[in-house]
Amino acid sequence: MTGNILLFAALLLIAILLDRMVQPKPVAGGRSLIGTAISLLAVTTGFGLVLALCGNVLASAGFSAAFVALLVLISGAKRDVMGEPLLFSDFAMIGSVFRHPQFYLAALTRVQVVLIVLGLVGVLPLFAAVFVAEPYPHLAGLMIFVAALSLLRLMIRRALDQGVASQPDPEADVLRHGLIATLILYRRRWMATVDAVPAGTQPQVPDVEPMLVMIVQCESFACPVELFGDPGLSLPGLASARAAAWQHGRLLVSGFGANTMRTEYGVIFGREEAELGFRCFDPYQTALRDVDHALPARLRRAGWRNHFVHPHDMRFYNRHRIMPAAGFDELVGIEHFAKPGPGEGRYVTDAAMTDRLLALAGTVNGPSLIYAVTIENHGPWAATQASASPSPAYLPLVRNSDAMLASLIKGMGGLGRPSMLVFFGDHRPSIPGLSQPGGDRHTPYVVLRFDAQGRPVSGDAAPRDLTPAQLHHSLFGLLARQAATAVAA
């Protein structure tokens, strides 16, 4: 009995020590009392559950400690790459980790990957090896589980009533309350989120002319001059686009190195992250609530036909369900593209995307929206020596994206119909030692308009900084004004 108590006490001590390793690390005094209580009760709940299943106290303590260590490891790796700790919303991506492991395992070292794989492979045989047939340890585990879970719920309710973690700020809350407590409290806050009703009525765009709008969300597209501080790395296509743009500037994205869906959601659905509350970390988990506000849905009510093009698995972020509900009439996924050829990398190239988009633009009739998401310029990008050229892996890819922008401008101008091209980066690349979290996060965006003869229509030359949601409203306002002008004429 004494030995079991000591094992359990050791588990709680290990959990506290592991939590102190989570970045940002606590200052003198450690985490808050209520955060520590929630964390320890959660660990105790997990310990009781495992004990109820296997009946082995030592194994239950070991499994529980290993799980906490895994959370700490993953949170640290994510923070290094993306600038934020592990979040409750990340658990929804577990299925994607197995379908597309290259997106996630690249953030870990080889040793970390080996340890995780060995742990996953060995957990069931180890569980079977330590299983105890005697019923009393299982019953004791069940009692611990029920009691700890009940106390945990009371402590969570008390924390919520006291306003703990009332606003989404994971960096501050992990520092103040610890990783496990923040994960739990943020999920409860997320579950209780009530959506704000958008003020006023939404204007509609009348169907007055065969307008074509192409929006291209370019993977990891950023200006190398801003990333690496070398004027010789400027992108000619981007420079030409800015010179001919109706509007251009910096897109104030919140993600870094990943979280494409946050930028994508803002542009398509037009909801600011401040409006979303705790939904902001992965708005696609609840995007079906907002489909009536999506740009394609609003355009479809005015007679437009909408196409979503992404050379990847549409199940990623549940796009195969969200995009049709949001008003897209056609999804063009990975099955519509040939596999990359030798030397073309892992993903469908921007050149192939350019050909597909221009072919689609040449065949659509009537008012049409084409929203495209590229993928060629996807990391990871390895660190390079200080004497080497900045990121020899990233630069060729971002230049391919720049060539895509130049080709799309030329192709859209040759359509001979009123059209608009919007091109922007979804987030900056995370490149060890060169482009890391902690600094600027903005990416470039350009909006180009073409008249019925394919000539660029000049706009305000002054750059404008916009959030993704503000870009949504800017585009919709531009379409509404253009339609109103056409009606008056």
Side-chain angles (χ1 to χ4, degrees), residues 122-142:
V123 65
L124 289 180
L126 181 59
F127 192 88
V130 301
F131 183 83
V132 173
E134 185 180 351
Y136 298 108
H138 298 273
L139 180 59
L142 181 60

Side-chain angles (χ1 to χ4, degrees), residues 305-309 314 327-332 336 360 364:
R305 183 167 178 82
N306 307 304
H307 312 262
F308 184 82
V309 184
M314 287 289 182
F328 285 104
D329 301 286
E330 180 187 19
L331 304 187
V332 181
H336 293 85
L360 180 60
V364 295

Side-chain angles (χ1 to χ4, degrees), residues 78 82 84 255-263 281 317 426-427:
K78 182 188 174 190
M82 300 168 60
E84 65 182 29
F256 186 92
N259 284 322
T260 295
M261 78 293 187
R262 296 181 189 174
T263 305
F281 300 114
Y317 293 131
D426 59 350
H427 54 70

Side-chain angles (χ1 to χ4, degrees), residues 133-188:
E134 185 180 351
Y136 298 108
H138 298 273
L139 180 59
L142 181 60
M143 294 174 63
I144 292 172
F145 171 74
V146 172
L149 182 60
S150 300
L151 291 174
L152 177 60
R153 287 176 171 173
L154 290 174
M155 192 61 65
I156 292 172
R157 187 178 306 164
R158 180 179 178 183
L160 297 177
D161 290 343
Q162 292 179 355
V164 176
S166 59
Q167 298 295 325
D169 188 349
E171 189 82 356
D173 286 322
V174 169
L175 174 63
R176 189 178 301 116
H177 308 298
L179 177 62
I180 294 177
T182 301
L183 289 171
I184 293 172
L185 292 173
Y186 272 38
R187 175 167 172 76
R188 290 296 299 271

